[in-house]
Amino acid sequence: MKHLMLHCSMKAVIDCHRAMAEADFRDELRRIKVPTLVLHGDRDASAPLALTGQKTAALVPGSRLVVYEGAPHGLFVTHRERLSRDLLAFARS
């Protein structure tokens, strides 16, 4: 699974990275009016919790931040069972 990106075109990878790095969604995040769950691993090296997950949760009014201890960037792979439980519980709440 971790090698999927190696099969992408380099142009697509660079364009995607540039778009994500340059995008500023702060105004949009402040306008979200639906219940929002922010899930983030505390071992995410490519998008550190303090720079991304915590700031996102702080900008979305009333959002809930759940930090997965020991989880990397791909927690949907490494912590899929917990992720499924948390998403289901949030959807039901």
Side-chain angles (χ1 to χ4, degrees), residues 8-89:
C8 296
S9 81
M10 187 54 68
K11 180 180 178 349
V13 171
I14 292 169
D15 288 349
C16 183
H17 175 72
R18 183 174 291 129
M20 290 184 343
E22 294 174 357
D24 182 355
F25 294 110
R26 290 176 290 182
D27 289 338
E28 289 85 351
L29 290 170
R30 289 183 187 106
R31 292 194 303 259
I32 293 175
K33 304 289 186 215
V34 296
T36 304
L37 178 63
V38 178
L39 303 169
H40 205 103
D42 67 354
R43 296 275 173 95
D44 188 333
S46 62
L49 175 62
L51 296 176
T52 56
Q54 289 175 337
K55 289 185 177 189
T56 298
L59 287 169
V60 178
S63 67
R64 181 172 157 221
L65 173 64
V66 175
V67 177
Y68 285 39
E69 290 185 32
H73 188 72
L75 64 83
F76 63 93
V77 174
T78 60
H79 292 72
R80 66 181 164 267
E81 290 176 14
R82 178 178 173 192
L83 176 67
S84 294
R85 286 192 308 270
D86 287 347
L87 289 173
L88 186 57

